[in-house]
């Protein structure tokens, strides 16, 4: 039986990944500051601990795991990483986790380690035009990410690559592009655009108005969690180190994303555009490399994953309203 360690096991992608690994027959240890918020973890063991502390990393990674998935990071949506208010924490916390975990994995003889980087590493100068952003893997340098979150991810990619070069560690690096789905942050200030829009649309009565940061013409692509997990597992099972994009190529403006969700919800709401933290003007995954190396790329339409996510968030909104009404 393969043994895996998932760091960031209480988070959105980590908790879903553990469910997947258990289905595949792995023995799994999860580690995080917290348990998953929305359902019990499927991990065989769950360690609550702070991975900024090398002693905790020592305890958590105490054996030559077949696979380590390093997903733990100080992270959130635009409201968290683009305001500038959390820059020092994001850089310090996430860099500490990565420095500790890669070194500890080397010491423990871990066979393979996965690192979750981000599309936020791509240079701002290639993402000014919302209609044709450039995010091919080889466009990462000269580096110019638009956030400290992106700089830390790029630095940590380089840490993992250096351990591969100097210590022959088997590393795999993916750059995720906006992963979404049920059981992700939806109302705690760390939610991203799909969850935030689903929440606003679920909360607002038909005919009224929702607010959106920016003019809504900024573009992004969004990948449903199940396809992200397919990508992670395919990369781990391959000989390809990466870094490689794991994202969707179905680019959409934020205005059109809101309209798509309204359509699912059967609501007609107007959009009030307000100032807010935005990030780059355009971003889309470029899946040529993953297709070439792994003969795979995500294929499911955005709408399919959004429907599942909207239904889940609508349920959370109803539960919250019910709780408030009986208090
Ligand atoms: P998440 O915030 O839901 O999960 C991250 C987890 O890390 C949280 O549960 C958090 O408690 C944990 N953590 C933070 N600091 C810790 C510490 N000091 N010790 C132990 N645990 C700690 O985020 P997610 O969406 O599941 O993302 C997982 C990874 O993928 C992150 O590294 C993130 O940067 C990366 N990523 C995610 C996306 C996305 O769209 N979700 C996009 C690009 C990259």
């Amino acid at each position: 039986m393969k043994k895996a360690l998932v760091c960031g096991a209480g988070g959105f992608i980590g908790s879903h990944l553990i469910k997947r690994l258990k289905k595949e027959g792995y023995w799994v240890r999860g580690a995080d500051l917290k348990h998953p918020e929305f359902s019990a973890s499927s991990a065989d063991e769950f360690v609550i601990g702070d991975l900024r502390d090398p002693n905790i990393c020592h305890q958590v990674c105490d054996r030559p795991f077949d696979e380590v998935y390093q997903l733990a990071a100080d992270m959130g949506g635009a409201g968290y990483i683009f305001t500038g208010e959390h820059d020092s924490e994001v850089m310090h916390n996430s860099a500490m986790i990565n420095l500790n975990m890669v070194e500890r994995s080397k010491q423990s003889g871990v066979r393979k380690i996965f690192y979750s980087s981000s599309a936020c590493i791509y240079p701002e100068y290639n993402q000014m035009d919302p209609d044709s952003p450039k995010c091919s893997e080889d466009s990462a340098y000269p580096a110019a990410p638009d956030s400290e979150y992106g700089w830390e991810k790029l630095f940590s990619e380089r840490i993992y690559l250096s351990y591969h070069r100097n210590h022959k560690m088997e590393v795999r690096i993916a750059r995720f592009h906006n992963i979404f789905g049920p059981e992700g942050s939806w109302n705690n200030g760390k939610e991203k655009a799909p969850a935030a829009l689903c929440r606003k649309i679920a909360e607002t009565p038909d005919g009224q108005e929702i607010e959106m940061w920016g003019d809504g013409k900024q573009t992004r692509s969004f990948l449903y969690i199940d396809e992200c997990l397919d990508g992670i597992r395919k990369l781990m099972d391959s000989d390809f180190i990466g870094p490689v994009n794991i994202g969707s190529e179905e680019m959409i403006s934020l205005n059109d994303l809101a309209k798509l969700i309204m359509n699912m919800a059967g609501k007609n709401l107007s959009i009030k555009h307000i100032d807010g933290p935005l990030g780059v003007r355009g971003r889309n995954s470029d899946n040529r490399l993953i297709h070439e190396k792994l003969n795979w790329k995500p294929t499911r339409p955005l709408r399919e994953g959004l429907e599942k996510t909207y239904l889940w968030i609508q349920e959370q909104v109803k539960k919250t309203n019910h709780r408030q009404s009986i208090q």
Side-chain angles (χ1 to χ4, degrees):
M1 186 190 264
K2 276 195 176 177
K3 290 190 163 51
L5 168 64
V6 176
C7 302
F12 167 53
I13 301 175
S15 56
H16 282 283
L17 176 62
I18 291 176
K19 285 182 199 153
R20 168 68 66 95
L21 292 171
K22 286 304 301 169
K23 271 193 204 140
E24 291 185 29
Y26 281 67
W27 182 92
V28 185
R29 175 182 289 165
D32 201 302
L33 290 169
K34 61 173 179 67
H35 288 284
E37 220 173 308
F38 305 107
S39 60
S41 175
S42 311
D44 297 279
E45 275 181 23
F46 201 101
V47 181
I48 294 286
D50 188 337
L51 299 169
R52 290 172 302 181
D53 179 346
N55 296 320
I56 300 290
C57 294
H58 201 98
Q59 284 171 30
V60 161
C61 189
D62 60 352
R63 62 193 73 175
F65 282 98
D66 296 294
E67 295 174 5
V68 170
Y69 294 85
Q70 202 319 77
L71 304 166
D74 194 350
M75 91 95 134
Y80 189 74
I81 59 177
F82 296 130
T83 58
E85 288 164 22
H86 308 282
D87 285 351
S88 60
E89 292 157 60
V90 165
M91 292 203 101
H92 174 88
N93 295 343
S94 298
M96 289 293 283
I97 296 170
N98 286 308
L99 287 163
N100 287 339
M101 277 311 302
V102 73
E103 174 62 18
R104 183 61 200 152
S105 298
K106 184 198 84 183
Q107 291 167 359
S108 306
V110 164
R111 297 205 172 82
K112 214 180 252 187
I113 182 163
F114 173 89
Y115 173 57
S116 51
S117 182
S118 164
C120 289
I121 65 100
Y122 286 113
E124 188 173 16
Y125 57 76
N126 279 333
Q127 301 172 87
M128 306 293 232
D129 178 357
D131 297 323
S132 61
K134 183 175 175 188
C135 292
S136 54
E137 288 80 352
D138 60 3
S139 70
Y141 295 94
D146 71 329
S147 65
E148 301 303 350
Y149 170 78
W151 277 107
E152 188 282 326
K153 287 286 183 197
L154 201 56
F155 168 69
S156 289
E157 283 189 3
R158 299 186 71 97
I159 302 175
Y160 287 89
L161 291 171
S162 71
Y163 272 71
H164 170 68
R165 276 196 309 278
N166 297 158
H167 305 292
K168 309 277 176 289
M169 275 183 77
E170 287 278 357
V171 305
R172 300 289 179 269
I173 303 172
R175 295 176 180 157
F176 294 155
H177 290 244
N178 287 310
I179 315 303
F180 74 100
E183 304 198 357
S185 295
W186 65 282
N187 69 343
N188 63 358
K190 289 194 163 187
E191 62 275 19
K192 297 181 162 198
L197 287 171
C198 285
R199 186 197 70 231
K200 289 176 188 182
I201 291 167
E203 283 173 348
T204 308
D206 196 16
Q208 294 193 12
E209 180 180 84
I210 57 164
E211 289 186 343
M212 182 189 285
W213 289 338
D215 62 9
K217 292 179 185 156
Q218 65 272 36
T219 53
R220 293 290 185 275
S221 68
F222 302 95
L223 184 69
Y224 189 62
I225 180 70
D226 288 356
E227 293 213 278
C228 172
L229 299 177
D230 291 343
I232 297 173
R233 294 289 305 115
K234 288 243 186 282
L235 181 60
M236 271 308 246
D237 285 347
S238 80
D239 291 331
F240 184 49
I241 294 168
V244 68
N245 291 328
I246 294 188
S248 158
E249 287 180 323
E250 191 181 339
M251 190 168 79
I252 185 169
S253 73
L254 272 282
N255 283 331
D256 285 345
L257 180 69
K259 282 182 203 145
L260 189 58
I261 302 170
M262 284 180 212
N263 181 273
M264 286 170 197
K267 291 185 183 179
N268 190 9
L269 309 173
S270 54
I271 302 176
K272 182 181 176 193
H273 297 283
I274 58 166
D275 283 343
L278 292 175
V280 293
R281 279 304 278 165
R283 177 171 289 154
N284 194 11
S285 188
D286 180 329
N287 291 342
R288 285 172 298 176
L289 186 65
I290 198 162
H291 193 234
E292 181 197 320
K293 297 291 182 186
L294 306 184
N295 195 22
W296 177 86
K297 58 182 175 180
T299 52
R300 308 305 306 162
L302 171 64
R303 188 181 176 103
E304 202 177 280
L306 263 186
E307 276 168 356
K308 294 180 197 161
T309 309
Y310 181 75
L311 288 176
W312 182 80
I313 291 182
Q314 190 184 41
E315 198 53 40
Q316 306 312 303
V317 169
K318 278 188 195 151
K319 279 187 203 161
T320 307
N321 290 345
H322 178 67
R323 270 198 300 272
Q324 283 166 354
S325 72
I326 55 173
Q327 268 168 11

